[in-house]
Amino acid sequence: MAQLTTLQKLEVLSDAAKYDASCASSGTAKRHSVGGKGIGSTTGSGICHSYAPDGRCISLLKILLTNFCSYDCVFCINRSSSNVQRARFSVEEVVALTLNFYKRNYIEGLFLSSGIIRSPDYTMGELVRVAESLRLDHDFRGYIHLKLIPSASQELIDRAALFADRVSINVELPSETSLKRFAPEKQPLDIRSAMGGLKLRIDEAAAERERSKRAPAFSPAGQSTQMIVGADDATDATILQRSANLYGAYGLRRVYYSAFSPIPDSSKQLPLSEPPLMREHRLYQADWLTRFYGFEVDEIMDAAPGGMLDLAVDPKLAWALRHRGRFPVDVNRAEREMLLRIPGLGTRSVDRILAMRRFRSLRLEDVGRLVRSLRVLRQFIVTSDWRPGAALDGERLKAQLAPKPQQLALL
Ligand code: SF4
Protein backbone atom coordinates (compact mmCIF):
# COMPACT_ATOMS: atom_id res chain seq x y z
CA MET A 1 0.00 0.00 0.00
CA ALA A 2 1.44 3.40 -1.02
CA GLN A 3 2.45 5.71 1.82
CA LEU A 4 0.09 8.63 2.26
CA THR A 5 1.47 12.14 2.46
CA THR A 6 0.64 14.22 5.51
CA LEU A 7 -1.87 16.18 3.44
CA GLN A 8 -3.57 12.99 2.26
CA LYS A 9 -3.72 11.74 5.85
CA LEU A 10 -5.18 15.06 6.87
CA GLU A 11 -7.95 14.70 4.30
CA VAL A 12 -8.77 11.16 5.45
CA LEU A 13 -8.54 11.82 9.18
CA SER A 14 -10.33 15.15 9.26
CA ASP A 15 -13.14 13.66 7.17
CA ALA A 16 -13.28 10.65 9.52
CA ALA A 17 -13.67 13.00 12.50
CA LYS A 18 -16.71 14.79 11.09
CA TYR A 19 -19.17 12.41 12.75
CA ASP A 20 -18.12 13.51 16.20
CA ALA A 21 -20.35 16.38 17.21
CA SER A 22 -18.81 16.99 20.60
CA CYS A 23 -16.83 19.84 19.18
CA ALA A 24 -19.65 21.95 17.84
CA SER A 25 -19.31 23.15 14.28
CA SER A 26 -22.45 25.16 13.94
CA GLY A 27 -22.90 27.78 11.30
CA THR A 28 -21.06 25.93 8.57
CA ALA A 29 -22.83 25.03 5.38
CA LYS A 30 -21.51 21.51 5.03
CA ARG A 31 -20.59 18.85 7.51
CA HIS A 32 -17.92 17.27 5.37
CA SER A 33 -14.43 18.56 5.03
CA VAL A 34 -13.14 16.97 1.85
CA GLY A 35 -13.88 19.36 -0.99
CA GLY A 36 -14.92 22.16 1.34
CA LYS A 37 -11.99 24.34 0.38
CA GLY A 38 -11.65 27.92 -0.77
CA ILE A 39 -11.15 31.34 0.69
CA GLY A 40 -13.21 31.78 3.83
CA SER A 41 -14.22 28.13 3.89
CA THR A 42 -14.87 26.91 7.38
CA THR A 43 -15.06 23.28 6.36
CA GLY A 44 -11.75 22.54 4.68
CA SER A 45 -9.08 20.37 6.29
CA GLY A 46 -11.00 19.63 9.45
CA ILE A 47 -11.39 23.09 10.93
CA CYS A 48 -14.38 23.17 13.26
CA HIS A 49 -15.74 25.72 15.68
CA SER A 50 -16.26 25.35 19.37
CA TYR A 51 -16.76 27.56 22.39
CA ALA A 52 -14.03 28.33 24.91
CA PRO A 53 -14.92 28.46 28.63
CA ASP A 54 -15.20 32.25 28.38
CA GLY A 55 -17.82 31.93 25.62
CA ARG A 56 -15.53 32.88 22.71
CA CYS A 57 -16.06 31.00 19.46
CA ILE A 58 -12.77 29.34 18.54
CA SER A 59 -11.57 27.37 15.53
CA LEU A 60 -10.10 23.95 16.15
CA LEU A 61 -8.22 21.48 14.04
CA LYS A 62 -10.56 18.48 14.34
CA ILE A 63 -8.92 15.20 13.45
CA LEU A 64 -8.48 11.58 14.40
CA LEU A 65 -5.07 10.23 15.28
CA THR A 66 -6.11 7.19 13.26
CA ASN A 67 -9.28 5.77 11.71
CA PHE A 68 -7.99 2.22 12.08
CA CYS A 69 -10.13 0.67 14.79
CA SER A 70 -10.33 -2.78 16.32
CA TYR A 71 -13.91 -2.24 17.50
CA ASP A 72 -16.90 -2.81 15.28
CA CYS A 73 -19.56 -0.33 16.41
CA VAL A 74 -22.22 -0.73 13.72
CA PHE A 75 -23.09 2.98 13.47
CA CYS A 76 -19.48 4.06 12.87
CA ILE A 77 -17.81 4.57 9.50
CA ASN A 78 -14.45 3.70 11.09
CA ARG A 79 -15.53 0.32 12.48
CA SER A 80 -13.17 -2.58 11.79
CA SER A 81 -15.47 -4.12 9.15
CA SER A 82 -15.91 -0.85 7.23
CA ASN A 83 -14.41 -0.62 3.78
CA VAL A 84 -12.89 2.86 4.02
CA GLN A 85 -9.48 4.24 3.29
CA ARG A 86 -7.39 4.09 6.47
CA ALA A 87 -4.66 6.38 7.70
CA ARG A 88 -2.67 7.00 10.81
CA PHE A 89 -0.79 10.04 12.00
CA SER A 90 2.25 9.72 14.20
CA VAL A 91 2.23 11.72 17.42
CA GLU A 92 4.93 13.97 15.93
CA GLU A 93 2.84 14.65 12.81
CA VAL A 94 -0.18 15.81 14.83
CA VAL A 95 2.03 18.02 16.99
CA ALA A 96 3.71 19.56 13.93
CA LEU A 97 0.38 20.11 12.11
CA THR A 98 -1.19 21.73 15.15
CA LEU A 99 1.74 24.07 15.69
CA ASN A 100 1.96 24.89 12.02
CA PHE A 101 -1.76 25.75 11.71
CA TYR A 102 -1.68 27.62 15.01
CA LYS A 103 1.28 29.78 14.02
CA ARG A 104 -0.47 30.64 10.75
CA ASN A 105 -3.57 31.67 12.70
CA TYR A 106 -5.73 29.02 11.03
CA ILE A 107 -6.73 27.53 14.36
CA GLU A 108 -6.83 28.32 18.04
CA GLY A 109 -6.66 24.76 19.22
CA LEU A 110 -6.97 21.04 18.60
CA PHE A 111 -9.81 18.52 18.89
CA LEU A 112 -8.28 15.05 18.85
CA SER A 113 -10.01 11.69 18.86
CA SER A 114 -8.99 8.24 17.63
CA GLY A 115 -10.06 4.78 16.62
CA ILE A 116 -8.85 2.13 19.04
CA ILE A 117 -5.65 0.40 17.99
CA ARG A 118 -3.80 -2.35 19.89
CA SER A 119 -5.55 -1.58 23.19
CA PRO A 120 -7.45 1.22 24.94
CA ASP A 121 -4.35 2.01 27.00
CA TYR A 122 -2.04 2.14 23.98
CA THR A 123 -4.42 4.48 22.11
CA MET A 124 -5.03 6.69 25.11
CA GLY A 125 -1.28 6.84 25.69
CA GLU A 126 -0.74 8.11 22.12
CA LEU A 127 -3.42 10.80 22.54
CA VAL A 128 -1.83 11.88 25.81
CA ARG A 129 1.60 12.04 24.16
CA VAL A 130 0.27 14.56 21.63
CA ALA A 131 -1.15 16.84 24.32
CA GLU A 132 1.88 16.41 26.56
CA SER A 133 4.33 17.25 23.78
CA LEU A 134 2.30 20.32 22.75
CA ARG A 135 2.17 21.63 26.31
CA LEU A 136 5.58 20.64 27.66
CA ASP A 137 7.89 20.57 24.63
CA HIS A 138 6.34 23.49 22.76
CA ASP A 139 4.67 25.53 25.49
CA PHE A 140 1.44 25.42 23.44
CA ARG A 141 -1.18 27.68 25.07
CA GLY A 142 -4.00 26.96 22.62
CA TYR A 143 -7.17 25.04 23.41
CA ILE A 144 -7.05 21.22 23.51
CA HIS A 145 -10.09 18.96 23.55
CA LEU A 146 -9.21 15.28 23.94
CA LYS A 147 -11.59 12.41 23.42
CA LEU A 148 -11.03 9.83 26.14
CA ILE A 149 -11.18 6.07 25.86
CA PRO A 150 -13.31 4.93 28.78
CA SER A 151 -11.62 1.55 29.27
CA ALA A 152 -8.17 3.13 29.50
CA SER A 153 -6.43 3.24 32.87
CA GLN A 154 -7.32 5.98 35.30
CA GLU A 155 -3.72 7.13 35.31
CA LEU A 156 -3.83 7.83 31.57
CA ILE A 157 -7.24 9.49 31.77
CA ASP A 158 -5.99 11.74 34.55
CA ARG A 159 -2.89 12.59 32.58
CA ALA A 160 -5.03 13.55 29.58
CA ALA A 161 -7.11 15.86 31.77
CA LEU A 162 -3.94 17.54 33.07
CA PHE A 163 -3.03 18.73 29.57
CA ALA A 164 -6.47 19.20 27.99
CA ASP A 165 -8.86 22.11 28.44
CA ARG A 166 -11.81 19.82 27.92
CA VAL A 167 -12.19 16.06 27.78
CA SER A 168 -15.13 14.01 26.57
CA ILE A 169 -16.31 10.44 26.67
CA ASN A 170 -19.07 9.48 24.28
CA VAL A 171 -22.05 7.63 25.71
CA GLU A 172 -22.84 7.11 22.00
CA LEU A 173 -26.48 6.03 22.30
CA PRO A 174 -29.46 7.06 24.41
CA SER A 175 -29.67 3.75 26.27
CA GLU A 176 -27.26 1.13 27.49
CA THR A 177 -29.42 -1.53 25.81
CA SER A 178 -28.79 0.12 22.44
CA LEU A 179 -25.10 0.49 23.25
CA LYS A 180 -24.85 -3.25 23.90
CA ARG A 181 -26.65 -3.96 20.65
CA PHE A 182 -24.75 -1.54 18.39
CA ALA A 183 -21.35 -1.30 20.11
CA PRO A 184 -20.87 -4.63 21.89
CA GLU A 185 -17.20 -3.99 22.71
CA LYS A 186 -18.01 -0.81 24.64
CA GLN A 187 -18.75 -1.38 28.30
CA PRO A 188 -21.43 0.83 29.85
CA LEU A 189 -19.87 0.33 33.28
CA ASP A 190 -16.49 1.60 32.03
CA ILE A 191 -18.15 4.68 30.57
CA ARG A 192 -20.04 5.40 33.79
CA SER A 193 -17.07 4.91 36.07
CA ALA A 194 -14.72 6.97 33.86
CA MET A 195 -17.21 9.85 33.79
CA GLY A 196 -17.88 9.58 37.53
CA GLY A 197 -14.16 9.52 38.36
CA LEU A 198 -13.57 12.54 36.13
CA LYS A 199 -16.32 14.50 37.81
CA LEU A 200 -14.77 13.91 41.23
CA ARG A 201 -11.31 14.93 40.11
CA ILE A 202 -12.51 17.94 38.11
CA ASP A 203 -14.44 19.18 41.18
CA GLU A 204 -11.46 18.57 43.48
CA ALA A 205 -9.09 20.36 41.12
CA ALA A 206 -11.47 23.33 40.76
CA ALA A 207 -11.69 23.60 44.56
CA GLU A 208 -7.91 23.38 44.82
CA ARG A 209 -7.54 26.15 42.21
CA GLU A 210 -9.88 28.32 44.28
CA ARG A 211 -7.45 27.97 47.17
CA SER A 212 -4.29 28.40 45.10
CA LYS A 213 -3.86 29.60 41.53
CA ARG A 214 -0.69 27.50 41.38
CA ALA A 215 -2.62 24.24 41.69
CA PRO A 216 -2.52 22.34 38.37
CA ALA A 217 -5.47 22.77 36.01
CA PHE A 218 -7.43 19.58 35.42
CA SER A 219 -9.72 19.79 32.39
CA PRO A 220 -10.76 23.34 33.38
CA ALA A 221 -13.49 23.41 30.72
CA GLY A 222 -15.02 20.26 32.19
CA GLN A 223 -16.28 17.19 30.37
CA SER A 224 -18.88 16.65 27.68
CA THR A 225 -20.42 13.75 25.80
CA GLN A 226 -22.19 12.90 22.58
CA MET A 227 -25.30 10.90 21.76
CA ILE A 228 -26.30 9.70 18.32
CA VAL A 229 -29.93 10.46 17.54
CA GLY A 230 -32.03 8.36 15.21
CA ALA A 231 -29.89 5.21 15.02
CA ASP A 232 -32.13 3.40 17.50
CA ASP A 233 -35.80 3.83 18.34
CA ALA A 234 -35.28 6.02 21.45
CA THR A 235 -37.82 8.81 21.69
CA ASP A 236 -36.92 12.44 22.37
CA ALA A 237 -38.34 11.97 25.88
CA THR A 238 -35.88 9.11 26.52
CA ILE A 239 -32.98 11.12 25.07
CA LEU A 240 -33.72 14.22 27.12
CA GLN A 241 -34.21 12.19 30.30
CA ARG A 242 -30.86 10.50 29.73
CA SER A 243 -29.25 13.91 29.22
CA ALA A 244 -30.82 15.24 32.42
CA ASN A 245 -29.38 12.24 34.30
CA LEU A 246 -25.96 12.78 32.74
CA TYR A 247 -25.91 16.48 33.60
CA GLY A 248 -26.98 15.69 37.15
CA ALA A 249 -24.70 12.73 37.82
CA TYR A 250 -21.51 13.84 36.07
CA GLY A 251 -21.72 17.63 35.97
CA LEU A 252 -21.33 17.64 32.18
CA ARG A 253 -20.87 20.97 30.45
CA ARG A 254 -22.64 19.80 27.33
CA VAL A 255 -24.44 16.86 25.84
CA TYR A 256 -24.05 17.00 22.05
CA TYR A 257 -26.70 15.44 19.84
CA SER A 258 -25.59 14.06 16.52
CA ALA A 259 -28.25 13.12 13.99
CA PHE A 260 -27.40 9.65 12.73
CA SER A 261 -26.12 9.72 9.16
CA PRO A 262 -26.31 6.57 7.10
CA ILE A 263 -22.89 5.15 6.31
CA PRO A 264 -21.74 3.07 3.35
CA ASP A 265 -22.30 -0.71 3.68
CA SER A 266 -24.16 -0.19 6.90
CA SER A 267 -25.59 -2.98 9.02
CA LYS A 268 -29.21 -4.01 8.50
CA GLN A 269 -29.81 -3.13 12.14
CA LEU A 270 -29.57 0.55 11.25
CA PRO A 271 -32.25 2.74 9.70
CA LEU A 272 -31.85 3.43 6.00
CA SER A 273 -32.27 7.15 6.26
CA GLU A 274 -31.23 9.86 8.64
CA PRO A 275 -33.67 11.56 11.01
CA PRO A 276 -34.69 15.11 10.03
CA LEU A 277 -31.92 17.54 11.03
CA MET A 278 -34.66 19.59 12.68
CA ARG A 279 -34.95 16.82 15.28
CA GLU A 280 -31.36 17.46 16.37
CA HIS A 281 -32.09 21.20 16.47
CA ARG A 282 -35.23 20.74 18.61
CA LEU A 283 -33.29 18.52 21.03
CA TYR A 284 -30.68 21.23 21.47
CA GLN A 285 -33.44 23.76 22.14
CA ALA A 286 -35.10 21.48 24.70
CA ASP A 287 -31.74 20.75 26.32
CA TRP A 288 -31.17 24.52 26.61
CA LEU A 289 -34.59 24.95 28.28
CA THR A 290 -33.70 22.43 30.97
CA ARG A 291 -30.33 24.03 31.69
CA PHE A 292 -31.07 27.74 31.54
CA TYR A 293 -34.84 28.26 31.61
CA GLY A 294 -35.96 26.20 34.58
CA PHE A 295 -37.93 23.59 32.62
CA GLU A 296 -38.09 19.94 33.67
CA VAL A 297 -37.92 17.32 30.94
CA ASP A 298 -41.39 16.07 31.98
CA GLU A 299 -42.86 19.51 31.40
CA ILE A 300 -41.32 19.85 27.96
CA MET A 301 -42.51 16.41 26.96
CA ASP A 302 -45.94 16.37 28.64
CA ALA A 303 -48.60 15.54 26.07
CA ALA A 304 -45.96 15.34 23.32
CA PRO A 305 -47.35 12.69 20.95
CA GLY A 306 -45.25 9.52 20.99
CA GLY A 307 -42.69 11.16 23.27
CA MET A 308 -41.40 13.25 20.35
CA LEU A 309 -40.82 17.00 20.18
CA ASP A 310 -42.92 18.97 17.73
CA LEU A 311 -40.77 19.69 14.67
CA ALA A 312 -43.01 22.55 13.53
CA VAL A 313 -42.46 24.87 16.52
CA ASP A 314 -39.73 25.23 19.11
CA PRO A 315 -40.26 23.44 22.45
CA LYS A 316 -40.85 26.62 24.44
CA LEU A 317 -43.57 27.80 22.08
CA ALA A 318 -45.02 24.27 22.05
CA TRP A 319 -45.21 24.33 25.86
CA ALA A 320 -46.83 27.78 25.90
CA LEU A 321 -49.42 26.70 23.32
CA ARG A 322 -50.33 23.72 25.50
CA HIS A 323 -50.68 26.03 28.52
CA ARG A 324 -52.68 28.90 27.07
CA GLY A 325 -54.28 29.46 30.50
CA ARG A 326 -50.95 30.71 31.92
CA PHE A 327 -50.71 33.52 29.36
CA PRO A 328 -50.64 36.41 28.70
CA VAL A 329 -47.99 37.28 31.28
CA ASP A 330 -47.60 40.83 32.56
CA VAL A 331 -43.94 41.70 31.97
CA ASN A 332 -44.18 44.48 34.54
CA ARG A 333 -45.16 42.12 37.36
CA ALA A 334 -44.26 38.50 36.64
CA GLU A 335 -41.51 36.64 38.48
CA ARG A 336 -38.29 35.86 36.60
CA GLU A 337 -39.28 32.17 36.47
CA MET A 338 -42.43 32.94 34.51
CA LEU A 339 -40.78 35.54 32.28
CA LEU A 340 -38.31 32.85 31.21
CA ARG A 341 -41.22 30.74 30.00
CA ILE A 342 -42.50 33.34 27.55
CA PRO A 343 -41.81 32.35 23.93
CA GLY A 344 -39.50 34.88 22.31
CA LEU A 345 -37.78 36.03 25.51
CA GLY A 346 -34.21 34.88 26.17
CA THR A 347 -32.36 34.99 29.47
CA ARG A 348 -30.63 38.25 28.61
CA SER A 349 -33.87 40.02 27.64
CA VAL A 350 -35.50 38.77 30.84
CA ASP A 351 -32.68 40.22 32.94
CA ARG A 352 -32.94 43.53 31.13
CA ILE A 353 -36.71 43.64 31.63
CA LEU A 354 -36.20 43.03 35.36
CA ALA A 355 -33.59 45.81 35.52
CA MET A 356 -35.65 48.32 33.50
CA ARG A 357 -38.95 47.80 35.24
CA ARG A 358 -37.45 48.89 38.56
CA PHE A 359 -37.52 52.42 37.19
CA ARG A 360 -40.58 52.52 34.97
CA SER A 361 -43.46 50.60 33.59
CA LEU A 362 -42.58 48.92 30.29
CA ARG A 363 -44.50 49.49 27.06
CA LEU A 364 -44.58 47.12 24.10
CA GLU A 365 -42.09 49.35 22.29
CA ASP A 366 -39.62 49.02 25.21
CA VAL A 367 -39.83 45.24 25.09
CA GLY A 368 -39.51 45.35 21.29
CA ARG A 369 -36.14 47.03 21.64
CA LEU A 370 -34.84 44.06 23.66
CA VAL A 371 -35.79 41.28 21.26
CA ARG A 372 -35.34 40.39 17.62
CA SER A 373 -39.05 40.21 16.87
CA LEU A 374 -42.36 40.81 18.59
CA ARG A 375 -44.32 38.60 16.20
CA VAL A 376 -44.63 35.62 18.56
CA LEU A 377 -43.90 37.38 21.81
CA ARG A 378 -46.76 39.89 21.60
CA GLN A 379 -49.30 37.02 21.73
CA PHE A 380 -48.06 36.03 25.19
CA ILE A 381 -47.44 39.28 27.06
CA VAL A 382 -49.18 42.23 28.66
CA THR A 383 -47.41 45.60 28.90
CA SER A 384 -48.63 48.97 30.14
CA ASP A 385 -50.06 49.72 26.67
CA TRP A 386 -50.65 46.27 25.15
CA ARG A 387 -52.80 43.23 25.71
CA PRO A 388 -53.38 40.58 23.03
CA GLY A 389 -56.89 40.41 21.61
CA ALA A 390 -59.33 37.54 22.05
CA ALA A 391 -57.33 34.46 22.99
CA LEU A 392 -57.07 31.92 20.19
CA ASP A 393 -56.89 28.28 21.17
CA GLY A 394 -53.47 26.64 21.05
CA GLU A 395 -54.01 24.92 17.70
CA ARG A 396 -55.20 28.04 15.87
CA LEU A 397 -52.44 30.14 17.39
CA LYS A 398 -49.88 27.49 16.39
CA ALA A 399 -51.12 27.63 12.79
CA GLN A 400 -50.65 31.39 12.90
CA LEU A 401 -47.21 31.40 14.53
CA ALA A 402 -45.44 28.29 13.21
CA PRO A 403 -42.61 29.20 10.83
CA LYS A 404 -43.31 28.41 7.19
CA PRO A 405 -41.32 25.44 5.77
CA GLN A 406 -38.85 27.78 4.00
CA GLN A 407 -38.23 29.59 7.30
CA LEU A 408 -37.71 26.27 9.10
CA ALA A 409 -35.01 25.39 6.61
CA LEU A 410 -33.07 28.48 7.67
CA LEU A 411 -33.19 27.72 11.41
S1 SF4 B 1 -14.57 2.57 18.99
FE1 SF4 B 1 -16.46 2.36 17.83
S2 SF4 B 1 -17.17 4.47 17.58
FE2 SF4 B 1 -14.99 4.60 18.16
S3 SF4 B 1 -13.88 4.66 16.21
FE3 SF4 B 1 -13.98 2.52 16.82
S4 SF4 B 1 -15.79 1.69 15.78
FE4 SF4 B 1 -15.93 3.93 15.75
Side-chain angles (χ1 to χ4, degrees):
M1 196 173 65
Q3 281 282 347
L4 297 181
T5 63
T6 302
L7 192 60
Q8 287 167 330
K9 289 183 193 177
L10 182 61
E11 289 211 343
V12 173
L13 293 171
S14 59
D15 196 54
K18 73 188 177 193
Y19 295 95
D20 202 310
S22 44
C23 138
S25 200
S26 55
T28 55
K30 293 178 179 179
R31 299 181 84 190
H32 57 85
S33 54
V34 172
K37 302 182 182 99
I39 294 169
S41 166
T42 54
T43 53
S45 296
I47 310 284
C48 79
H49 294 91
S50 193
Y51 289 93
D54 60 6
R56 270 183 324 121
C57 179
I58 50 176
S59 346
L60 303 178
L61 172 63
K62 180 180 178 182
I63 48 171
L64 299 188
L65 186 66
T66 178
N67 65 341
F68 285 101
C69 190
S70 55
Y71 285 19
D72 204 35
C73 310
V74 295
F75 50 80
C76 179
I77 187 118
N78 304 316
R79 68 195 187 283
S80 57
S81 60
S82 174
N83 183 24
V84 288
Q85 184 180 18
R86 306 280 176 173
R88 179 181 171 182
F89 277 130
S90 66
V91 167
E92 292 71 25
E93 279 175 312
V94 176
V95 170
L97 264 179
T98 308
L99 293 172
N100 197 334
F101 279 20
Y102 188 75
K103 284 177 188 160
R104 291 170 187 225
N105 264 342
Y106 294 169
I107 56 162
E108 289 157 285
L110 170 70
F111 172 94
L112 186 62
S113 181
S114 183
I116 296 174
I117 42 170
R118 293 200 207 169
S119 71
D121 269 358
Y122 175 79
T123 311
M124 192 71 249
E126 293 288 279
L127 294 172
V128 170
R129 283 215 298 129
V130 171
E132 187 169 10
S133 173
L134 281 169
R135 294 287 193 230
L136 302 186
D137 302 338
H138 301 280
D139 197 23
F140 179 72
R141 307 283 175 95
Y143 185 87
I144 299 180
H145 180 153
L146 284 186
K147 183 69 60 182
L148 303 184
I149 316 247
S151 325
S153 73
Q154 184 175 318
E155 193 194 336
L156 282 167
I157 287 181
D158 286 354
R159 202 146 176 78
L162 276 180
F163 299 119
D165 293 278
R166 171 168 287 180
V167 292
S168 54
I169 294 174
N170 286 353
V171 295
E172 308 288 12
L173 290 154
S175 74
E176 292 188 353
T177 314
S178 296
L179 187 73
K180 278 187 198 145
R181 187 170 148 220
F182 291 141
E185 288 124 324
K186 295 206 167 187
Q187 301 303 322
L189 182 60
D190 288 347
I191 295 176
R192 270 186 271 128
S193 53
M195 289 172 109
L198 269 171
K199 178 191 176 341
L200 278 179
R201 294 189 294 287
I202 288 171
D203 290 350
E204 279 167 16
E208 196 58 37
R209 295 269 287 181
E210 283 286 303
R211 287 191 286 274
S212 160
K213 290 290 163 228
R214 295 164 103 173
F218 188 93
S219 191
Q223 60 170 326
S224 59
T225 194
Q226 152 171 310
M227 236 187 271
I228 299 167
V229 173
D232 66 355
D233 55 6
T235 62
D236 292 342
T238 306
I239 291 169
L240 290 171
Q241 198 54 61
R242 178 86 197 275
S243 298
N245 295 343
L246 289 168
Y247 283 122
Y250 306 117
L252 300 187
R253 292 290 178 88
R254 288 292 298 270
V255 175
Y256 289 93
Y257 305 97
S258 174
F260 163 73
S261 25
I263 47 176
D265 311 319
S266 66
S267 151
K268 290 201 171 48
Q269 296 182 74
L270 292 172
L272 291 174
S273 59
E274 63 241 86
L277 261 186
M278 183 53 71
R279 185 178 174 198
E280 184 186 286
H281 183 61
R282 295 288 180 236
L283 282 167
Y284 276 117
Q285 290 176 318
D287 179 288
W288 211 254
L289 292 182
T290 61
R291 292 190 297 138
F292 303 110
Y293 288 77
F295 280 85
E296 297 291 335
V297 172
D298 289 349
E299 291 179 287
I300 296 171
M301 298 311 304
D302 71 351
M308 299 299 278
L309 293 164
D310 192 333
L311 297 184
V313 291
D314 72 76
K316 201 204 272 193
L317 178 55
W319 180 85
L321 291 169
R322 291 198 302 272
H323 297 87
R324 292 289 289 134
R326 297 183 67 171
F327 296 93
V329 170
D330 187 340
V331 296
N332 285 303
R333 290 168 189 273
E335 302 279 332
R336 183 170 192 275
E337 272 179 354
M338 195 57 213
L339 291 175
L340 285 171
R341 290 180 174 240
I342 301 174
L345 276 190
T347 49
R348 217 182 289 170
S349 338
V350 165
D351 290 339
R352 291 180 67 190
I353 285 173
L354 290 170
M356 284 166 69
R357 79 184 191 186
R358 278 192 286 157
F359 304 103
R360 62 192 166 89
S361 193
L362 300 182
R363 293 166 299 141
L364 188 63
E365 191 189 357
D366 299 320
V367 178
R369 278 198 280 269
L370 304 177
V371 295
R372 263 196 301 176
S373 160
L374 280 170
R375 192 179 81 87
V376 173
L377 179 59
R378 67 196 306 157
Q379 300 296 334
F380 295 92
I381 57 171
V382 171
T383 61
S384 59
D385 62 344
W386 165 260
R387 173 173 283 276
L392 296 175
D393 63 60
E395 277 309 311
R396 282 199 295 156
L397 191 55
K398 177 178 167 184
Q400 194 178 307
L401 298 180
K404 306 289 169 274
Q406 62 271 33
Q407 292 170 308
L408 276 174
L410 294 173
L411 287 176

